[in-house]
Amino acid sequence: MEFKKAKLYEIGEVVGGSTPSTKKPEYYDGDMPWITPKDLAGYTSMYISKGERNITREGFDSCSTKMLPKNSILFSSRAPIGYVAIAENELCTNQGFKSVIPNNDIDYLFLYYLLKNNKDYIASLGSGSTFKEVSGSVMRDIEFDIPVSRDDQIKISKVLYSIDCKIELNNQINNNLLELGQQLLLQDLNDEKSQIYKMDEIFYHISPGTNYQPERVSEGLPFLNVKNINNGYIDCSDSKFISLDDYNKVHKTWKPEENDLLISRIGTLGLVAVIRKEDLPLAVHYNFLDLKTNKIPFEFGYFLLKSDYFQQKYKFNIKNSVQEYVTVDDIRKIEVRIPCADSLKKYKTIYDKILNIQRESRTLEQLRDTLLPKLMNGEIDLENIEI
């Protein structure tokens, strides 16, 4: 397989985005999809069609954002750097992206995987004091080694895409199982035998992680942050690390344990995960609350925290400063209904199925992430791979 060097501007048009004035409500809630990096936090699909908010034509015309065609590659260039997704349809973005409209020399799926494979390198090129950002000029001049033949690009992307399709199917199955759990939960909460409890009555431990800033090391124990929550489970493949000494400093009074529940409480609110045995040991960032169950099985707690029923109560307590947050005291006081003990048992069966599928997906992700750099570097003979 023959490779050539190409700068990003030679294989696609690098396009920034913009934000209409938030002081003008007429600029929002229109029919034009508008994506921000926040929309990709915890997002697991390759494709994205819309974000949390749309903008109006008037809002679009008021700022410098541009409409991106279908199959453009979205790459977040700040806060944080490195979210990658494919436009499922025409859409636009805020200024937190340097998106790429691929030209005819590059397969769009290959470009998606190329940027994913190089996201850490691209992030290292960021500059800025408040937060790092990759500028448009820097992005355009990044040089890659890519296969000369577009057919070879397509062969590489097909191998990786076949794995991602299996992961996506697993995610859909788990979403269906989660929906089943939510339907059962609503039925149980409406049962006359259900009782009202405050959160601090059903969780004996509700505590934020640490805001201690340990010395960063290249390996050690994972330091969990919001970006490490992947579709309801913990993915530390791209986490920061801390030393064992720092871990013991940041978790003096309590330690994360198997089956603890986590919920994000600053910035990106309401992401939920369960700590599994294979995740430990890890340190938990201040952006999370760690909850240890008391009167309920953790499996039911997982469905409860993810439910619209709880999320509405949770986000009712949002405070605003530089970014949105929920206090520990607020969550302790939230009142929720809990079904009788007999009704709680069925949630374990559903959760166990979800967990097994999550573990299968994690194995597939590890396979994909192992193959990705090797395929991109030409280390694997494409003729010997069966899709």
Side-chain angles (χ1 to χ4, degrees):
M1 184 165 52
E2 185 181 357
F3 283 80
K4 67 177 180 180
K5 292 190 179 296
K7 292 189 174 181
L8 192 55
Y9 77 84
E10 296 176 304
I11 56 178
E13 180 186 358
V14 178
V15 178
S18 184
T19 299
S21 172
T22 55
K23 296 179 180 179
K24 295 196 173 184
E26 63 268 26
Y27 287 172
Y28 291 89
D29 300 322
D31 56 7
M32 303 184 74
W34 180 70
I35 312 295
T36 72
K38 184 179 177 182
D39 293 317
L40 295 181
Y43 192 78
T44 58
S45 296
M46 293 175 60
Y47 292 85
I48 188 166
S49 60
K50 63 179 181 178
E52 185 179 345
R53 302 187 73 181
N54 285 356
I55 60 174
T56 61
R57 168 57 66 175
E58 189 178 2
F60 179 86
D61 292 338
S62 74
C63 64
S64 59
T65 192
K66 295 182 179 180
M67 192 58 70
L68 302 169
K70 178 182 179 179
N71 295 335
S72 297
I73 312 302
L74 280 57
F75 187 91
S76 66
S77 53
R78 68 177 191 180
I81 300 171
Y83 288 152
V84 192
I86 304 171
E88 191 170 357
N89 43 254
E90 280 194 332
L91 50 76
C92 54
T93 75
N94 78 348
Q95 64 276 15
F97 288 92
K98 298 296 182 290
S99 302
V100 186
I101 304 172
N103 62 27
N104 293 330
D105 294 329
I106 194 87
D107 172 55
Y108 79 92
L109 274 176
F110 177 84
L111 179 57
Y112 166 80
Y113 288 113
L114 181 70
L115 293 179
K116 277 184 73 74
N117 187 47
N118 288 278
K119 64 181 182 179
D120 291 339
Y121 169 67
I122 297 172
S124 73
L125 303 176
S127 60
S129 54
T130 305
F131 51 78
K132 286 193 173 184
E133 179 175 7
V134 180
S135 68
S137 59
V138 168
M139 194 79 174
R140 291 182 186 94
D141 282 337
I142 297 174
E143 191 172 66
F144 301 101
D145 289 319
I146 64 171
V148 173
S149 166
R150 198 168 187 274
D151 287 341
D152 284 340
Q153 296 172 17
I154 292 172
K155 286 179 183 177
I156 290 172
S157 60
K158 275 187 175 179
V159 172
L160 299 168
Y161 183 65
S162 67
I163 299 173
D164 273 325
C165 284
K166 292 175 183 176
I167 295 170
E168 184 68 24
L169 177 59
N170 279 351
N171 288 340
Q172 290 173 5
I173 293 171
N174 269 357
N175 287 338
N176 291 338
L177 288 169
L178 183 61
E179 180 63 28
L180 173 61
Q182 298 302 309
Q183 292 173 1
L184 292 174
L185 185 139
L186 286 177
Q187 292 173 11
D188 285 340
L189 296 184
N190 289 324
D191 191 301
E192 59 183 13
K193 295 179 182 178
S194 65
Q195 298 182 38
I196 295 176
Y197 293 91
K198 287 186 179 179
M199 288 289 287
D200 60 6
E201 293 177 309
I202 56 176
F203 294 100
Y204 70 87
H205 170 93
I206 301 177
S207 177
T210 179
N211 60 359
Y212 176 73
Q213 296 297 321
E215 181 181 350
R216 296 294 191 266
V217 291
S218 58
E219 58 183 18
L221 303 181
F223 193 20
L224 185 70
N225 209 327
V226 169
K227 69 176 184 177
N228 303 121
I229 300 301
N230 182 348
N231 206 34
Y233 72 99
I234 294 168
D235 177 6
C236 289
S237 59
D238 193 28
S239 70
K240 301 291 185 181
F241 296 97
I242 66 173
S243 67
L244 181 60
D245 285 344
D246 276 336
Y247 171 78
N248 289 327
K249 289 176 185 176
V250 301
H251 286 297
K252 285 181 180 178
T253 58
W254 64 272
K255 286 182 167 45
E257 298 172 306
E258 183 180 3
N259 300 333
D260 283 4
L261 292 161
L262 300 174
I263 185 166
S264 58
R265 69 182 196 95
I266 298 176
T268 302
L269 299 174
L271 295 179
V272 179
V274 181
I275 297 179
R276 304 161 301 178
K277 185 176 182 179
E278 58 262 36
D279 299 322
L280 295 169
L282 57 77
V284 176
H285 193 272
Y286 190 68
N287 287 358
F288 282 102
L289 290 173
D290 178 282
L291 298 89
K292 301 178 189 293
T293 59
N294 188 357
K295 292 187 177 180
I296 59 171
F298 78 89
E299 296 94 343
F300 174 79
Y302 174 73
F303 287 104
L304 175 66
L305 295 185
K306 286 186 72 70
S307 69
D308 290 340
Y309 165 79
F310 177 80
Q311 291 277 332
Q312 290 174 5
K313 290 173 176 285
Y314 184 62
K315 293 177 181 179
F316 178 78
N317 293 284
I318 286 175
K319 308 289 192 304
N320 276 291
S321 57
V322 177
Q323 54 186 347
E324 295 179 337
Y325 68 98
V326 175
T327 70
V328 179
D329 285 342
D330 283 337
I331 193 172
R332 287 179 186 275
K333 296 173 184 175
I334 292 175
E335 292 186 340
V336 291
R337 285 192 170 273
I338 304 298
C340 64
D342 289 341
S343 295
L344 295 175
K345 296 175 182 177
K346 56 181 174 282
Y347 294 94
K348 182 181 186 325
T349 301
I350 303 173
Y351 177 79
D352 285 347
K353 290 180 181 178
I354 290 175
L355 181 59
N356 288 335
I357 293 172
Q358 285 178 346
R359 284 174 169 153
E360 179 184 298
S361 291
R362 183 67 190 126
T363 300
L364 289 169
E365 287 169 357
Q366 289 171 340
L367 173 62
R368 178 200 61 202
D369 295 344
T370 299
L371 288 175
L372 180 55
K374 293 181 178 181
L375 286 167
M376 290 293 175
N377 295 332
E379 296 177 32
I380 297 177
D381 185 354
L382 294 174
E383 302 302 323
N384 294 328
I385 293 182
E386 293 184 8
I387 302 174

